[in-house]
Amino acid sequence: MPASVPHRPRAEQAPQAAASPSVLRADRVHDGERLGGPGWIALAEGRVVAVGTGDPPRTHGPVHDLGDALLAPGCVDVHCHGGGGHAVESGAAAARAAAAAHARAGTTTVVASLVTDEVDALAAQLTALTPLCAEGVLAGVHLEGPWLSPLHCGAHRAASLRAPEPEDVARLVEVGAGHLAMVTLAPELPGALDAVGRLAEAGVVVAIGHTDASYETTRAAIDAGARMATHLHNACRPTHHREPGPAVALLEDPRVGIETIVDGVHLHAATVRRVAREAGERWILVSDSMAAAGCGDGEFPLGPLRVRVHDGVARVVGADGAAGAIAGSTATVTGSVRSAVVAGVDLDAALRAATAAPADALGLPDVGRLRAGSRADAVVFGPELEVRGVLHHGTWVKAAAPAAAD
């Protein structure tokens, strides 16, 4: 497992929705670690207070029987730029609305990802989002840039890319006020290895991505404290049999969590299966979604860039109006679970990659699992892995109907 960062206590505010039942029972239960069932969880005051297999005892109160459904922890997305028509960099109200849109789709824990911009702009965006982290609406903020390779910038404005200067690193850590959860950088940039050490010492998870680093430089960054791979294989130097590059170094090191975007667009199914197999319990599903998630086709913002979505694929709009690089995704994490299963990944592994694995990677001990003491976040899946219901902080944000009586 990748090393976890120290957990930062956060105030939590339960969403306003229909009251939860005392007990949820389902034919299949994934607790974040493994798939089993039938089983049940008992809830009180927004927490899981007991779990068990078979039929639940009556001592915990009324039972909400979900029948043939699959009950799993609420999904954890550690790389999310927006959703429901809202971009997280647009401010607190937009980030709150984006988190709510993802919650209705089954992602009950969201880390807000900011794309490359000027350092002053990023500092202002961090300042706007940290109150949502303190409130528990967001689980933290992820800076995806500006310390990225111009050779693999993807949907990041090249003019704002830069090497990490110590004063900029220190400023953004300070502005993050303990809620800067992750930073993606390219370790081959001047000063980057020093920045890795500084960020890791500050309790920030350092992710390697948007990089042209060699295998050797990537290894040095891991040794300096980097512990994540940002959307492996996308926007990075490709693997070559004599020059393995960053992906091989990241995959082979047991200290590193491995993000992938599994939406049927970013990776071939064979690549998905291989990464899932090689990463094992370190494998993490992320949406990398932008504002268009859940909205259909159209034009949407992504930081300072314009993005056009056509047939569900988001691409940067160039100066000439033509579609350019892929710009994140329009996926949700629950949709990524379905896509992973379609690609041939075992359901057990896909669910773990959407729940316990990302929670562990960012040091979030009370989410990602169904166990006594965890936050009462859960997703109810139907036979086709459609989302039937979502429980967030112990209340329904999408109510699941009980099984029909015989």
Side-chain angles (χ1 to χ4, degrees), residues 21-92:
S22 296
V23 179
L24 289 176
R25 182 240 169 246
D27 285 357
R28 294 190 296 165
V29 177
H30 193 287
D31 63 3
E33 298 282 352
R34 61 191 60 84
L35 183 64
W40 54 272
I41 60 172
L43 316 168
E45 298 181 350
R47 294 279 166 179
V48 176
V49 297
V51 299
T53 58
D55 292 328
R58 296 294 176 177
T59 54
H60 291 297
V63 176
H64 187 95
D65 191 348
L66 299 166
D68 65 353
L70 164 61
L71 181 65
C75 292
V76 178
D77 193 355
V78 299
H79 190 153
C80 175
H81 297 282
H86 306 279
V88 298
E89 73 272 5
S90 297

Side-chain angles (χ1 to χ4, degrees), residues 262-263 269 272-273 283 285 335-346 350:
V262 181
D263 61 353
V272 174
R273 294 192 298 271
W283 182 45
L285 287 172
S336 300
V337 170
R338 291 191 294 273
S339 294
V341 171
V342 169
V345 175
D346 183 74

Side-chain angles (χ1 to χ4, degrees), residues 6 84 120 171 182 231 246 300 365:
D120 286 346
R171 179 186 179 193
M182 184 163 66
H231 46 54
F300 302 86

Side-chain angles (χ1 to χ4, degrees), residues 277-298:
R277 181 175 62 252
E278 294 187 12
E281 293 188 354
R282 300 179 293 127
W283 182 45
I284 296 168
L285 287 172
V286 296
S287 72
D288 194 18
S289 63
M290 39 81 70
C295 294
D297 291 354

Side-chain angles (χ1 to χ4, degrees), residues 126-186:
L126 268 170
T127 299
L129 294 180
T130 52
L132 295 187
C133 301
E135 187 182 334
V137 173
L138 300 175
V141 181
H142 164 216
L143 293 181
E144 191 180 11
W147 307 313
L148 310 178
S149 167
L151 298 176
H152 303 282
C153 60
H156 291 258
R157 186 170 63 183
S160 296
L161 298 176
R162 66 192 65 228
E165 299 290 342
E167 57 269 27
D168 291 339
V169 173
R171 179 186 179 193
L172 292 174
V173 168
E174 181 179 4
V175 169
H179 299 293
L180 180 57
M182 184 163 66
V183 168
T184 295
L185 55 72

Side-chain angles (χ1 to χ4, degrees), residues 37 54 56-57 61 79 131 165 251 257 280 291 296 334 347 351 371 378 381 391:
H79 190 153
E165 299 290 342
L251 266 175
T334 51
L347 174 61
L351 286 170
R371 62 185 178 188
F381 290 99
L391 197 71

Side-chain angles (χ1 to χ4, degrees), residues 65-353:
D65 191 348
L66 299 166
D68 65 353
L70 164 61
L71 181 65
C75 292
V76 178
D77 193 355
V78 299
H79 190 153
C80 175
H81 297 282
H86 306 279
V88 298
E89 73 272 5
S90 297
R96 186 186 298 273
H102 280 282
R104 291 189 294 272
T107 299
T108 52
T109 300
V110 170
V111 173
S113 298
L114 300 175
V115 295
T116 293
D117 211 325
E118 301 302 316
V119 172
D120 286 346
L122 291 172
Q125 292 163 21
L126 268 170
T127 299
L129 294 180
T130 52
L132 295 187
C133 301
E135 187 182 334
V137 173
L138 300 175
V141 181
H142 164 216
L143 293 181
E144 191 180 11
W147 307 313
L148 310 178
S149 167
L151 298 176
H152 303 282
C153 60
H156 291 258
R157 186 170 63 183
S160 296
L161 298 176
R162 66 192 65 228
E165 299 290 342
E167 57 269 27
D168 291 339
V169 173
R171 179 186 179 193
L172 292 174
V173 168
E174 181 179 4
V175 169
H179 299 293
L180 180 57
M182 184 163 66
V183 168
T184 295
L185 55 72
E188 73 275 15
L189 297 176
L193 293 180
D194 179 66
V196 170
R198 290 172 180 268
L199 289 163
E201 288 176 5
V204 179
V205 174
V206 180
I208 297 175
H210 290 274
T211 176
D212 198 50
S214 66
Y215 172 88
E216 292 76 15
T217 299
T218 305
R219 291 289 312 157
I222 298 169
D223 289 340
R227 292 294 180 266
M228 287 279 278
T230 293
H231 46 54
L232 192 78
H233 290 304
N234 293 122
C236 74
R237 181 179 184 171
T239 297
H240 184 274
H241 56 281
R242 285 190 295 273
E243 297 178 2
V248 172
L250 293 162
L251 266 175
E252 73 178 6
D253 196 302
R255 296 172 290 180
V256 178
I258 305 296
E259 282 188 12
T260 54
I261 308 168
V262 181
D263 61 353
V265 176
H266 282 79
L267 298 173
H268 190 281
T271 303
V272 174
R273 294 192 298 271
R274 180 181 179 185
V275 172
R277 181 175 62 252
E278 294 187 12
E281 293 188 354
R282 300 179 293 127
W283 182 45
I284 296 168
L285 287 172
V286 296
S287 72
D288 194 18
S289 63
M290 39 81 70
C295 294
D297 291 354
E299 289 201 1
F300 302 86
L302 180 62
L305 303 176
R306 288 170 53 221
V307 173
R308 180 179 301 131
V309 178
H310 178 69
D311 289 339
V313 180
R315 293 186 178 275
V316 174
V317 179
D320 59 356
I326 294 176
S329 84
T330 61
T332 62
V333 177
T334 51
S336 300
V337 170
R338 291 191 294 273
S339 294
V341 171
V342 169
V345 175
D346 183 74
L347 174 61
D348 189 73
L351 286 170
R352 192 182 195 290

